[in-house]
Amino acid sequence: NAGVTQTPKFRVLKTGQSMTLLCAQDMNHEYMYWYRQDPGMGLRLIHYSVGEGTTAKGEVPDGYNVSRLKKQNFLLGLESAAPSQTSVYFCASSEAGSYETQYFGPGTRLLVL
Amino acid sequence: AQRVTQPEKLLSVFKGAPVELKCNYSYSGSPELFWYVQYSRQRLQLLLRHISRESIKGFTADLNKGETSFHLKKPFAQEEDSAMYYCALTVNRDNYGQNFVFGPGTRLSVLP
């Protein structure tokens, strides 16, 4: 099993450009999450999903959109990238229910110029 | 609002010395706490969780509700313990699953 994979690994964008980050998991997990990691701030939840076709806002959702059309995929979109969105983005998945272990992807490093 | 604090950005200890990584939280509900670890060039992964009351790689953590703390401890640090450690708290979203609040992390450096 590949676990949680993220595409791409690294990307450079210009301000105003758009892009989509793809997260895929092969563990049949119900829950999926998108985080951003910034120095000194740990991981902050952007959006999450508790099942196919459902999404919810996390702590820092502004400037991002997500979709969960298939259970195994969770897409994070930036419609108009800003330098403040320069970060490392992590996807995670977990089984349904409270207090389940999260399994993380390797991360995507995004630089917005 | 829910919050997790880790007061030390960097903690350096010598091999064989005891180590304690501090974590404090604020949450009005019944907390469930975790420690996640990220070794160099590896993914973030679960180290241990409160509900399991387990010891992983010699690490233990006790939930102290009075002090709202969940400090991570190991009696004898090893060089391979050098990593970034994150304390995390789960927050129940009414009828909509739960999500995590992570602390800012502490980088542990175990010196030879």
Side-chain angles (χ1 to χ4, degrees):
Chain A
N1 288 349
V4 179
T5 58
Q6 292 182 232
T7 309
K9 292 183 180 179
F10 176 69
R11 184 76 182 267
V12 179
L13 290 178
K14 294 181 179 178
T15 296
Q17 287 185 318
S18 64
M19 79 162 293
T20 300
L21 282 66
L22 170 64
C23 176
Q25 53 95 4
D26 61 3
M27 296 175 282
N28 201 35
H29 285 166
E30 288 293 335
Y31 293 3
M32 296 186 75
Y33 310 79
W34 274 109
Y35 294 91
R36 58 178 289 172
Q37 183 184 45
D38 301 293
M41 302 188 75
L43 279 78
R44 292 182 292 168
L45 184 66
I46 304 171
H47 285 280
Y48 65 105
S49 168
V50 297
E52 182 178 318
T54 68
T55 63
K57 294 181 180 179
E59 182 185 354
V60 289
D62 294 341
Y64 305 95
N65 57 76
V66 289
S67 64
R68 184 101 181 266
L69 298 180
K70 293 183 179 180
K71 185 178 183 179
Q72 64 268 32
N73 295 336
F74 195 29
L75 280 69
L76 178 70
L78 286 73
E79 290 188 349
S80 180
S84 61
Q85 293 178 304
T86 293
S87 188
V88 181
Y89 292 86
F90 287 97
C91 176
S93 71
S94 72
E95 295 183 5
S98 298
Y99 319 134
E100 293 294 333
T101 301
Q102 293 198 348
Y103 295 85
F104 283 84
T108 294
R109 189 174 296 275
L110 177 65
L111 175 62
V112 183
L113 302 176
Chain B
Q2 303 82 16
R3 191 178 176 194
V4 176
T5 58
Q6 295 178 248
E8 302 133 332
K9 288 185 179 180
L10 173 65
L11 182 63
S12 295
V13 301
F14 286 103
K15 177 182 175 181
V19 61
E20 181 180 49
L21 299 166
K22 291 185 169 55
C23 170
N24 289 90
Y25 66 90
S26 60
Y27 180 46
S28 58
S30 181
E32 188 54 45
L33 289 134
F34 299 72
W35 278 98
Y36 279 79
V37 61
Q38 189 171 25
Y39 300 102
S40 179
R41 298 196 179 97
Q42 293 188 27
R43 304 182 183 201
L44 193 63
Q45 59 187 285
L46 177 70
L47 179 61
L48 58 79
R49 51 183 178 173
H50 159 246
I51 197 169
S52 301
R53 300 187 180 280
E54 57 204 344
S55 174
I56 303 295
K57 298 184 178 181
F59 285 98
T60 59
D62 291 319
L63 177 61
N64 185 324
K65 293 186 179 181
E67 296 183 356
T68 60
S69 68
F70 188 57
H71 303 329
L72 183 67
K73 299 177 183 179
K74 185 170 182 177
F76 307 104
Q78 302 299 315
E79 289 183 68
E80 55 265 30
D81 295 328
S82 295
M84 194 75 178
Y85 291 80
Y86 294 95
C87 183
L89 167 74
T90 60
V91 176
N92 274 318
R93 301 282 179 178
D94 295 335
N95 300 318
Y96 206 71
Q98 51 92 21
N99 59 57
F100 281 64
V101 175
F102 281 81
T106 297
R107 181 167 298 281
L108 174 64
S109 177
V110 180
L111 308 172

mmCIF file of all heavy atoms in Angstrom, chain B residues 67-98:
data_model
loop_
_atom_site.group_PDB
_atom_site.id
_atom_site.type_symbol
_atom_site.label_atom_id
_atom_site.label_comp_id
_atom_site.label_asym_id
_atom_site.label_seq_id
_atom_site.Cartn_x
_atom_site.Cartn_y
_atom_site.Cartn_z
ATOM 1 N N GLU B 67 -3.626 20.347 35.629
ATOM 2 C CA GLU B 67 -2.648 21.284 35.067
ATOM 3 C C GLU B 67 -2.834 21.462 33.562
ATOM 4 O O GLU B 67 -2.049 22.184 32.938
ATOM 5 C CB GLU B 67 -1.224 20.784 35.354
ATOM 6 C CG GLU B 67 -0.882 20.749 36.826
ATOM 7 C CD GLU B 67 0.552 20.319 37.072
ATOM 8 O OE1 GLU B 67 1.263 19.975 36.099
ATOM 9 O OE2 GLU B 67 0.967 20.317 38.248
ATOM 10 N N THR B 68 -3.829 20.814 33.013
ATOM 11 C CA THR B 68 -4.084 20.813 31.550
ATOM 12 C C THR B 68 -2.782 20.601 30.785
ATOM 13 O O THR B 68 -2.390 21.405 29.920
ATOM 14 C CB THR B 68 -4.784 22.106 31.088
ATOM 15 O OG1 THR B 68 -3.977 23.244 31.385
ATOM 16 C CG2 THR B 68 -6.142 22.245 31.737
ATOM 17 N N SER B 69 -2.120 19.508 31.109
ATOM 18 C CA SER B 69 -0.846 19.208 30.463
ATOM 19 C C SER B 69 -0.809 17.764 29.971
ATOM 20 O O SER B 69 -1.555 16.900 30.467
ATOM 21 C CB SER B 69 0.310 19.451 31.440
ATOM 22 O OG SER B 69 0.292 18.503 32.486
ATOM 23 N N PHE B 70 0.075 17.537 29.016
ATOM 24 C CA PHE B 70 0.273 16.194 28.453
ATOM 25 C C PHE B 70 1.739 16.103 28.054
ATOM 26 O O PHE B 70 2.103 15.967 26.901
ATOM 27 C CB PHE B 70 -0.662 15.995 27.258
ATOM 28 C CG PHE B 70 -0.698 14.587 26.718
ATOM 29 C CD1 PHE B 70 -1.030 13.516 27.537
ATOM 30 C CD2 PHE B 70 -0.435 14.324 25.381
ATOM 31 C CE1 PHE B 70 -1.085 12.225 27.042
ATOM 32 C CE2 PHE B 70 -0.481 13.037 24.874
ATOM 33 C CZ PHE B 70 -0.806 11.993 25.711
ATOM 34 N N HIS B 71 2.610 16.177 29.029
ATOM 35 C CA HIS B 71 4.044 16.201 28.769
ATOM 36 C C HIS B 71 4.548 14.836 28.333
ATOM 37 O O HIS B 71 4.155 13.803 28.863
ATOM 38 C CB HIS B 71 4.808 16.658 30.016
ATOM 39 C CG HIS B 71 4.383 17.998 30.532
ATOM 40 N ND1 HIS B 71 3.920 19.000 29.710
ATOM 41 C CD2 HIS B 71 4.374 18.505 31.796
ATOM 42 C CE1 HIS B 71 3.623 20.074 30.439
ATOM 43 N NE2 HIS B 71 3.896 19.795 31.702
ATOM 44 N N LEU B 72 5.497 14.858 27.390
ATOM 45 C CA LEU B 72 6.098 13.634 26.866
ATOM 46 C C LEU B 72 7.435 13.406 27.568
ATOM 47 O O LEU B 72 8.266 14.317 27.627
ATOM 48 C CB LEU B 72 6.311 13.773 25.356
ATOM 49 C CG LEU B 72 6.860 12.566 24.602
ATOM 50 C CD1 LEU B 72 5.840 11.426 24.593
ATOM 51 C CD2 LEU B 72 7.229 12.957 23.177
ATOM 52 N N LYS B 73 7.640 12.172 28.045
ATOM 53 C CA LYS B 73 8.845 11.911 28.826
ATOM 54 C C LYS B 73 9.538 10.645 28.355
ATOM 55 O O LYS B 73 8.902 9.711 27.861
ATOM 56 C CB LYS B 73 8.484 11.749 30.310
ATOM 57 C CG LYS B 73 7.837 12.961 30.925
ATOM 58 C CD LYS B 73 7.451 12.688 32.369
ATOM 59 C CE LYS B 73 6.743 13.886 32.972
ATOM 60 N NZ LYS B 73 6.324 13.631 34.375
ATOM 61 N N LYS B 74 10.856 10.660 28.528
ATOM 62 C CA LYS B 74 11.651 9.461 28.275
ATOM 63 C C LYS B 74 12.819 9.496 29.244
ATOM 64 O O LYS B 74 13.498 10.512 29.353
ATOM 65 C CB LYS B 74 12.141 9.397 26.826
ATOM 66 C CG LYS B 74 12.879 8.115 26.493
ATOM 67 C CD LYS B 74 13.136 7.983 25.000
ATOM 68 C CE LYS B 74 13.823 6.658 24.696
ATOM 69 N NZ LYS B 74 14.035 6.441 23.249
ATOM 70 N N PRO B 75 13.059 8.403 29.949
ATOM 71 C CA PRO B 75 14.103 8.444 30.978
ATOM 72 C C PRO B 75 15.524 8.539 30.438
ATOM 73 O O PRO B 75 16.374 9.179 31.061
ATOM 74 C CB PRO B 75 13.881 7.143 31.757
ATOM 75 C CG PRO B 75 13.119 6.255 30.837
ATOM 76 C CD PRO B 75 12.321 7.132 29.959
ATOM 77 N N PHE B 76 15.778 7.938 29.275
ATOM 78 C CA PHE B 76 17.130 7.929 28.721
ATOM 79 C C PHE B 76 17.057 8.225 27.225
ATOM 80 O O PHE B 76 16.691 7.355 26.432
ATOM 81 C CB PHE B 76 17.798 6.571 28.947
ATOM 82 C CG PHE B 76 17.773 6.111 30.381
ATOM 83 C CD1 PHE B 76 16.887 5.132 30.790
ATOM 84 C CD2 PHE B 76 18.618 6.674 31.324
ATOM 85 C CE1 PHE B 76 16.846 4.712 32.107
ATOM 86 C CE2 PHE B 76 18.597 6.269 32.645
ATOM 87 C CZ PHE B 76 17.697 5.278 33.047
ATOM 88 N N ALA B 77 17.412 9.420 26.834
ATOM 89 C CA ALA B 77 17.307 9.821 25.432
ATOM 90 C C ALA B 77 18.350 9.118 24.572
ATOM 91 O O ALA B 77 19.480 8.865 25.010
ATOM 92 C CB ALA B 77 17.466 11.331 25.312
ATOM 93 N N GLN B 78 17.954 8.809 23.344
ATOM 94 C CA GLN B 78 18.849 8.222 22.357
ATOM 95 C C GLN B 78 19.007 9.182 21.177
ATOM 96 O O GLN B 78 18.117 9.993 20.908
ATOM 97 C CB GLN B 78 18.281 6.886 21.866
ATOM 98 C CG GLN B 78 18.042 5.866 22.967
ATOM 99 C CD GLN B 78 19.325 5.495 23.694
ATOM 100 O OE1 GLN B 78 20.349 5.257 23.065
ATOM 101 N NE2 GLN B 78 19.276 5.457 25.013
ATOM 102 N N GLU B 79 20.126 9.058 20.462
ATOM 103 C CA GLU B 79 20.354 9.964 19.342
ATOM 104 C C GLU B 79 19.249 9.846 18.295
ATOM 105 O O GLU B 79 18.884 10.834 17.656
ATOM 106 C CB GLU B 79 21.723 9.687 18.719
ATOM 107 C CG GLU B 79 22.876 10.110 19.596
ATOM 108 C CD GLU B 79 24.225 9.891 18.927
ATOM 109 O OE1 GLU B 79 24.516 10.592 17.948
ATOM 110 O OE2 GLU B 79 24.972 9.024 19.398
ATOM 111 N N GLU B 80 18.712 8.649 18.123
ATOM 112 C CA GLU B 80 17.662 8.455 17.120
ATOM 113 C C GLU B 80 16.339 9.092 17.516
ATOM 114 O O GLU B 80 15.388 9.103 16.729
ATOM 115 C CB GLU B 80 17.454 6.961 16.836
ATOM 116 C CG GLU B 80 17.161 6.120 18.049
ATOM 117 C CD GLU B 80 18.422 5.474 18.609
ATOM 118 O OE1 GLU B 80 19.515 6.056 18.473
ATOM 119 O OE2 GLU B 80 18.284 4.381 19.184
ATOM 120 N N ASP B 81 16.261 9.632 18.734
ATOM 121 C CA ASP B 81 15.058 10.347 19.147
ATOM 122 C C ASP B 81 15.028 11.773 18.611
ATOM 123 O O ASP B 81 14.008 12.461 18.725
ATOM 124 C CB ASP B 81 14.958 10.395 20.675
ATOM 125 C CG ASP B 81 14.786 9.029 21.301
ATOM 126 O OD1 ASP B 81 14.163 8.156 20.662
ATOM 127 O OD2 ASP B 81 15.284 8.826 22.426
ATOM 128 N N SER B 82 16.117 12.228 18.054
ATOM 129 C CA SER B 82 16.171 13.580 17.499
ATOM 130 C C SER B 82 15.120 13.721 16.403
ATOM 131 O O SER B 82 15.118 12.965 15.424
ATOM 132 C CB SER B 82 17.561 13.869 16.928
ATOM 133 O OG SER B 82 18.529 13.866 17.953
ATOM 134 N N ALA B 83 14.230 14.674 16.570
ATOM 135 C CA ALA B 83 13.109 14.831 15.640
ATOM 136 C C ALA B 83 12.303 16.052 16.063
ATOM 137 O O ALA B 83 12.597 16.704 17.064
ATOM 138 C CB ALA B 83 12.209 13.601 15.643
ATOM 139 N N MET B 84 11.273 16.314 15.288
ATOM 140 C CA MET B 84 10.310 17.363 15.622
ATOM 141 C C MET B 84 9.102 16.692 16.246
ATOM 142 O O MET B 84 8.566 15.733 15.677
ATOM 143 C CB MET B 84 9.902 18.114 14.356
ATOM 144 C CG MET B 84 9.186 19.397 14.590
ATOM 145 S SD MET B 84 10.308 20.685 15.143
ATOM 146 C CE MET B 84 9.161 22.050 15.250
ATOM 147 N N TYR B 85 8.678 17.168 17.401
ATOM 148 C CA TYR B 85 7.569 16.560 18.118
ATOM 149 C C TYR B 85 6.403 17.547 18.221
ATOM 150 O O TYR B 85 6.586 18.714 18.601
ATOM 151 C CB TYR B 85 8.007 16.153 19.523
ATOM 152 C CG TYR B 85 8.982 15.004 19.536
ATOM 153 C CD1 TYR B 85 10.332 15.206 19.273
ATOM 154 C CD2 TYR B 85 8.554 13.698 19.795
ATOM 155 C CE1 TYR B 85 11.230 14.150 19.256
ATOM 156 C CE2 TYR B 85 9.445 12.639 19.795
ATOM 157 C CZ TYR B 85 10.776 12.868 19.518
ATOM 158 O OH TYR B 85 11.661 11.824 19.510
ATOM 159 N N TYR B 86 5.227 17.052 17.884
ATOM 160 C CA TYR B 86 4.020 17.876 17.931
ATOM 161 C C TYR B 86 3.008 17.258 18.887
ATOM 162 O O TYR B 86 2.686 16.074 18.794
ATOM 163 C CB TYR B 86 3.364 17.973 16.551
ATOM 164 C CG TYR B 86 4.170 18.703 15.521
ATOM 165 C CD1 TYR B 86 4.989 18.020 14.634
ATOM 166 C CD2 TYR B 86 4.091 20.089 15.413
ATOM 167 C CE1 TYR B 86 5.723 18.690 13.677
ATOM 168 C CE2 TYR B 86 4.814 20.769 14.446
ATOM 169 C CZ TYR B 86 5.623 20.056 13.591
ATOM 170 O OH TYR B 86 6.345 20.732 12.639
ATOM 171 N N CYS B 87 2.505 18.072 19.758
ATOM 172 C CA CYS B 87 1.389 17.686 20.606
ATOM 173 C C CYS B 87 0.102 18.088 19.900
ATOM 174 O O CYS B 87 0.055 19.152 19.246
ATOM 175 C CB CYS B 87 1.508 18.403 21.957
ATOM 176 S SG CYS B 87 0.249 17.968 23.165
ATOM 177 N N ALA B 88 -0.926 17.261 19.984
ATOM 178 C CA ALA B 88 -2.168 17.559 19.270
ATOM 179 C C ALA B 88 -3.369 17.198 20.124
ATOM 180 O O ALA B 88 -3.339 16.246 20.905
ATOM 181 C CB ALA B 88 -2.220 16.806 17.938
ATOM 182 N N LEU B 89 -4.424 17.958 19.920
ATOM 183 C CA LEU B 89 -5.669 17.797 20.669
ATOM 184 C C LEU B 89 -6.792 17.580 19.674
ATOM 185 O O LEU B 89 -6.857 18.285 18.664
ATOM 186 C CB LEU B 89 -5.917 19.087 21.467
ATOM 187 C CG LEU B 89 -7.274 19.317 22.108
ATOM 188 C CD1 LEU B 89 -7.438 18.427 23.319
ATOM 189 C CD2 LEU B 89 -7.424 20.779 22.509
ATOM 190 N N THR B 90 -7.651 16.614 19.938
ATOM 191 C CA THR B 90 -8.800 16.446 19.049
ATOM 192 C C THR B 90 -9.969 17.251 19.582
ATOM 193 O O THR B 90 -10.181 17.355 20.778
ATOM 194 C CB THR B 90 -9.223 14.980 18.928
ATOM 195 O OG1 THR B 90 -9.571 14.487 20.216
ATOM 196 C CG2 THR B 90 -8.125 14.147 18.330
ATOM 197 N N VAL B 91 -10.712 17.788 18.637
ATOM 198 C CA VAL B 91 -11.863 18.616 18.945
ATOM 199 C C VAL B 91 -13.064 17.998 18.272
ATOM 200 O O VAL B 91 -13.055 17.793 17.062
ATOM 201 C CB VAL B 91 -11.664 20.054 18.423
ATOM 202 C CG1 VAL B 91 -12.905 20.888 18.653
ATOM 203 C CG2 VAL B 91 -10.451 20.682 19.064
ATOM 204 N N ASN B 92 -14.082 17.711 19.042
ATOM 205 C CA ASN B 92 -15.289 17.152 18.461
ATOM 206 C C ASN B 92 -16.142 18.232 17.836
ATOM 207 O O ASN B 92 -16.446 19.239 18.462
ATOM 208 C CB ASN B 92 -16.123 16.438 19.522
ATOM 209 C CG ASN B 92 -15.675 15.012 19.699
ATOM 210 O OD1 ASN B 92 -15.403 14.320 18.721
ATOM 211 N ND2 ASN B 92 -15.586 14.565 20.920
ATOM 212 N N ARG B 93 -16.468 18.039 16.556
ATOM 213 C CA ARG B 93 -17.384 18.942 15.877
ATOM 214 C C ARG B 93 -18.757 18.276 15.938
ATOM 215 O O ARG B 93 -18.925 17.197 15.434
ATOM 216 C CB ARG B 93 -16.970 19.131 14.420
ATOM 217 C CG ARG B 93 -15.582 19.694 14.258
ATOM 218 C CD ARG B 93 -15.555 21.152 14.503
ATOM 219 N NE ARG B 93 -14.211 21.698 14.381
ATOM 220 C CZ ARG B 93 -13.936 22.985 14.510
ATOM 221 N NH1 ARG B 93 -14.897 23.836 14.762
ATOM 222 N NH2 ARG B 93 -12.703 23.407 14.389
ATOM 223 N N ASP B 94 -19.695 18.907 16.549
ATOM 224 C CA ASP B 94 -21.006 18.311 16.781
ATOM 225 C C ASP B 94 -21.538 17.621 15.533
ATOM 226 O O ASP B 94 -21.784 18.250 14.522
ATOM 227 C CB ASP B 94 -21.993 19.392 17.234
ATOM 228 C CG ASP B 94 -21.610 19.969 18.580
ATOM 229 O OD1 ASP B 94 -20.934 19.261 19.328
ATOM 230 O OD2 ASP B 94 -21.994 21.113 18.861
ATOM 231 N N ASN B 95 -21.701 16.307 15.632
ATOM 232 C CA ASN B 95 -22.262 15.521 14.547
ATOM 233 C C ASN B 95 -21.501 15.676 13.236
ATOM 234 O O ASN B 95 -22.040 15.404 12.183
ATOM 235 C CB ASN B 95 -23.742 15.893 14.320
ATOM 236 C CG ASN B 95 -24.568 15.640 15.555
ATOM 237 O OD1 ASN B 95 -24.394 14.621 16.228
ATOM 238 N ND2 ASN B 95 -25.444 16.556 15.874
ATOM 239 N N TYR B 96 -20.298 16.103 13.296
ATOM 240 C CA TYR B 96 -19.537 16.263 12.056
ATOM 241 C C TYR B 96 -18.091 15.902 12.271
ATOM 242 O O TYR B 96 -17.188 16.628 11.874
ATOM 243 C CB TYR B 96 -19.684 17.685 11.501
ATOM 244 C CG TYR B 96 -19.469 17.716 10.005
ATOM 245 C CD1 TYR B 96 -20.403 17.178 9.139
ATOM 246 C CD2 TYR B 96 -18.321 18.266 9.463
ATOM 247 C CE1 TYR B 96 -20.203 17.174 7.783
ATOM 248 C CE2 TYR B 96 -18.106 18.278 8.097
ATOM 249 C CZ TYR B 96 -19.061 17.728 7.267
ATOM 250 O OH TYR B 96 -18.864 17.739 5.916
ATOM 251 N N GLY B 97 -17.911 14.782 12.908
ATOM 252 C CA GLY B 97 -16.556 14.274 13.041
ATOM 253 C C GLY B 97 -15.729 15.074 14.024
ATOM 254 O O GLY B 97 -16.250 15.760 14.900
ATOM 255 N N GLN B 98 -14.483 14.984 13.867
ATOM 256 C CA GLN B 98 -13.582 15.666 14.774
ATOM 257 C C GLN B 98 -12.338 16.096 14.003
ATOM 258 O O GLN B 98 -12.015 15.549 12.976
ATOM 259 C CB GLN B 98 -13.185 14.735 15.920
ATOM 260 C CG GLN B 98 -12.677 13.372 15.495
ATOM 261 C CD GLN B 98 -11.197 13.282 15.311
ATOM 262 O OE1 GLN B 98 -10.467 14.087 15.851
ATOM 263 N NE2 GLN B 98 -10.717 12.333 14.547
#
